[in-house]
Amino acid sequence: MTLHPDFDLPGLTALRRDLHAHPELGFEEHRTSAIVADRLRALGLEVTTGIAGTGVVGTLRGGNGAIGLRADMDALAMPETSGKPWASTVPGQMHACGHDGHTCMLLGAAEVLARVPPAITVHFIFQPAEEGRGGARAMVDDGLFARFPCDMVFGLHNMPGLEPGEMAVVEGPQLASSDSWTLTLTGTGTHGAKPHLGRDPIPAAGMFLGALQTVTGRIVDPLQPAVVSACSLRAGDPKALNVIPDMVQIGGTARAYTPQVRDQLEQGIGQLAQGCAQAQGLRADYNFIRRIPPVVNERSATRMALGAARAAVAQVRTDFPPSTAGDDFAFFANEVPGAYVWLGNGPARDGALHHNTGYDFNDDALPHGVAFWVALARQAATAKAG
Ligand SMILES: [Zn+2]
Ligand SMILES: [Zn+2]
């Protein structure tokens, strides 16, 4: 069964394209945030602005209990090549992850729910800076759940490859942790022809990089997913090919779906780094920076989301594979039981996936996302009443 609540779809589509044309980076979503706040006020919701800077919460009061529905608002620092009439008007910034669509679908749901409020309080959470700038954590630190207590919190992301009327709702791990690590191997630079007079850090860097995949291959349980990648390598100068440098700097990312594997990656990379350095008489300065925990869907929240998805859209998958990307929705789901769901964005057009310069949110998905949020609020109210 599909359910298309009555709301201003042409108006919402126009807003989606307007937001797409005016992308704003994390914590700089002043225009977007003002539009969101104005629209929520016009619907008669209680509106709180300035949460973690540009964050907005719209509250629709009703009955006992409360849920939080989250949309992210930020764009990415990259140029757009989509060629669409509503393409970015801001050089070097674009909505390449579809957050313009997320913002609009949650506004559409607020419009429908405000007309016939459910018997539960709904907090519409508009989050800044999802793309690696720490918006969710900043909202939690700004007292999000103390000021707007929620029994459960939900997030939704568009997904190319699924049809616009299709959703995936799966219990357990959805998105990996997203952590960074850096390593500096320091020796003593010297003449390239007289290596014995210094301490060359380059062979140790080679040893380290060659053995790096043993961290996932030999330390982590083969049945547990994990990724370690070295993504940056700096040493010496291509114009000085007779100079052994003092140091090599290496950096990369680490992804996991459980706290245990996350710990193993942190320790494993560090141990390997220290070992390689020690073998060559070098100093290793290793840093593991915990950025975003994994998103793991809690059972009861997932059940509720699944019921809502089945009521709202034609096709619901329960066997969708997790993504090795990250989403800082994890900070919300660490505070209260949460579920994160996928909404189809249709086939990838011209091969453009998330974070591609040609990516665009598919407006055909708008009514489905609105229907899901509305069904979810109604289900949560029914569950509370029952
Ligand atoms: Zn993204
Ligand atoms: Zn995104």
Side-chain angles (χ1 to χ4, degrees):
M1 181 194 108
T2 55
L3 175 150
H4 282 181
D6 182 30
F7 67 97
D8 178 13
L9 181 57
L12 203 63
T13 305
L15 176 65
R16 207 289 296 177
R17 294 174 180 184
D18 174 75
L19 294 184
H20 192 89
H22 301 92
E24 295 173 300
L25 301 182
F27 295 123
E28 298 168 16
E29 309 93 335
H30 301 290
R31 179 181 184 274
T32 309
S33 167
I35 290 171
V36 165
D38 284 350
R39 293 223 168 196
L40 295 173
R41 276 191 207 102
L43 295 170
L45 270 62
E46 291 170 28
V47 177
T48 309
T49 57
I51 307 163
T54 43
V56 180
V57 174
T59 299
L60 185 62
R61 299 258 170 225
N64 291 324
I67 56 167
L69 311 180
R70 171 274 211 166
D72 37 18
M73 302 187 288
D74 58 322
L76 285 147
M78 55 187 281
E80 175 157 1
T81 61
S82 78
K84 298 272 172 70
W86 52 88
S88 172
T89 58
V90 186
Q93 299 184 18
M94 83 168 283
H95 271 294
C97 206
H99 298 184
D100 44 348
H102 300 168
T103 299
C104 288
M105 290 187 289
L106 196 55
L107 282 173
E111 181 187 333
V112 177
L113 290 166
R115 219 174 292 141
V116 185
I120 192 170
T121 294
V122 183
H123 298 298
F124 298 87
I125 302 167
F126 292 88
Q127 180 205 314
E130 188 282 322
E131 297 286 4
R133 293 189 175 196
R137 176 181 250 172
M139 285 190 99
V140 171
D141 291 347
D142 209 358
L144 178 68
F145 292 112
R147 293 156 75 183
F148 309 96
C150 294
D151 303 321
M152 287 182 181
V153 66
F154 298 89
L156 175 153
H157 208 289
N158 71 92
M159 178 53 87
L162 294 177
E163 290 306 311
E166 192 175 18
M167 293 185 70
V169 182
V170 188
E171 190 184 324
Q174 300 306 301
L175 292 151
S177 57
S178 175
D179 298 323
S180 304
W181 54 270
T182 60
L183 169 64
T184 303
L185 295 167
T186 307
T188 307
T190 185
H191 197 296
K194 303 170 185 174
H196 60 293
L197 300 180
R199 286 278 182 196
D200 185 355
I202 287 189
M207 283 169 58
F208 171 80
L209 291 170
L212 183 60
Q213 296 310 323
T214 60
V215 174
T216 49
R218 303 290 88 174
I219 295 173
V220 176
D221 178 344
L223 298 178
Q224 294 286 337
V227 184
V228 172
S229 294
C231 302
S232 162
L233 176 63
R234 282 172 185 220
D237 189 320
K239 295 190 288 299
L241 297 181
N242 56 355
V243 176
I244 289 171
D246 286 320
M247 62 166 71
V248 179
Q249 292 173 307
I250 307 172
T253 191
R255 311 279 166 132
Y257 293 100
T258 68
Q260 293 74 21
V261 174
R262 211 177 175 199
D263 290 345
Q264 285 182 312
L265 297 184
E266 172 168 8
Q267 286 155 17
I269 300 167
Q271 201 177 343
L272 179 65
Q274 295 298 346
C276 292
Q278 204 176 9
Q280 302 286 315
L282 305 168
R283 198 178 80 224
D285 295 297
Y286 170 66
N287 230 324
F288 190 90
I289 305 120
R290 292 191 174 229
R291 295 174 54 240
I292 304 175
V295 173
V296 182
N297 281 355
E298 188 268 345
R299 176 165 293 176
S300 59
T302 307
R303 276 204 199 120
M304 191 166 290
L306 185 58
R310 285 183 170 145
V313 302
Q315 267 186 295
V316 183
R317 290 200 197 185
T318 55
D319 62 350
F320 199 64
S323 164
T324 50
D327 191 309
D328 69 357
F329 175 78
F331 286 105
F332 295 159
N334 273 2
E335 298 292 314
V336 291
Y340 184 96
V341 303
W342 303 105
L343 172 68
N345 201 57
R349 290 186 187 158
D350 305 322
L353 295 165
H354 293 141
H355 295 204
N356 181 287
T357 55
Y359 195 69
D360 191 23
F361 181 84
N362 184 345
D363 290 317
D364 292 344
L366 285 172
H368 302 291
V370 171
F372 169 72
W373 285 133
V374 170
L376 183 58
R378 303 245 184 263
Q379 293 250 341
T382 309
K384 204 77 193 174

